[in-house]
Amino acid sequence: MSTAGRFVSKGTGTMKSMKARLEGLRGIFHVLAEQHGEVVALLERAKGDAATRAALWPQLRRELRSHELAEVRELYPLLRADPTTRQLADHHDAEARELDALVLQLDALDPRSDEAGKLLEVLADRVVHHADEEETKIVPRAQAALGEDKTEELEDTVLLAKSQLVDAT
């Protein structure tokens, strides 16, 4: 990805991060909102043309999969253990499986193909829905259930898991 492209994605993530702080998101939830902003910006750029889609797909794939796998591994088991957030965790994991299935379907296609372009549009729509739902419905209840200390502690835990998973995905 070009330097300008990285700048745009990071800039979008930073703006999303500032908005998240203003909305009271702390710790891991603030970081996840920033990551959502970055990946949505990448998806928007990838929807542009076949060459851009092909160039961005490896990075998009890594970012999407490592983000979701880190959440599923480190954050959502804690939410599943709490009766007040168990249903939210189950819903999240179902959506994460759906997103992963779309990523795997895209892996089987030539990223320059029209079919891949259409499927990427579907993936982008689902990611935007998933991020919005997570930030507006799951995070407020999850942050309250976990408490401020655990929310802050999870930031490092999930970021470490994501960095380990980037190379594995």
Side-chain angles (χ1 to χ4, degrees):
M1 176 178 8
S2 71
T3 303
R6 279 190 290 278
F7 181 74
V8 169
S9 295
K10 289 291 182 187
T12 302
T14 300
M15 288 178 10
K16 183 88 170 169
S17 173
M18 291 175 11
K19 181 178 183 263
R21 282 273 185 215
L22 290 173
E23 292 173 350
L25 302 186
R26 299 288 182 255
I28 187 53
F29 300 115
H30 169 259
V31 170
L32 294 178
E34 182 175 355
Q35 291 175 3
H36 291 160
E38 290 173 9
V39 81
V40 167
L42 282 171
L43 283 162
E44 286 302 315
R45 289 188 53 234
K47 290 190 311 188
D49 62 65
T52 303
R53 183 170 55 250
L56 290 177
W57 178 243
Q59 180 185 5
L60 264 168
R61 182 188 193 287
R62 277 191 311 275
E63 291 300 319
L64 285 167
R65 294 203 75 220
S66 62
H67 172 93
E68 287 304 321
L69 290 171
E71 283 182 339
V72 167
R73 186 172 96 182
E74 301 295 337
L75 173 61
Y76 281 90
L78 298 174
L79 299 179
R80 186 168 288 99
D82 185 324
T84 65
T85 54
R86 182 174 297 130
Q87 187 176 32
L88 297 172
D90 291 343
H91 178 74
H92 171 274
D93 288 356
E95 282 193 356
R97 284 189 299 275
E98 179 185 1
L99 293 174
D100 197 47
L102 289 168
V103 167
L104 295 175
Q105 286 175 34
L106 274 160
D107 280 344
L109 301 173
D110 176 351
R112 295 175 195 272
S113 71
D114 289 343
E115 187 179 358
K118 290 174 186 169
L119 192 55
L120 186 78
E121 292 273 349
V122 172
L123 176 64
D125 289 345
R126 299 276 168 78
V127 167
V128 168
H129 164 81
H130 177 74
D132 182 58
E133 188 172 68
E134 189 170 55
E135 292 171 24
T136 60
K137 293 181 181 170
I138 294 175
V139 167
R141 289 178 56 195
Q143 193 166 272
L146 292 172
E148 189 172 324
D149 290 343
K150 190 65 175 176
T151 298
E152 295 292 336
E153 177 187 315
L154 278 168
E155 181 176 344
D156 291 336
T157 305
V158 175
L159 284 174
L160 177 61
K162 184 181 185 301
S163 71
Q164 293 170 343
L165 290 162
V166 162
D167 295 329
T169 56

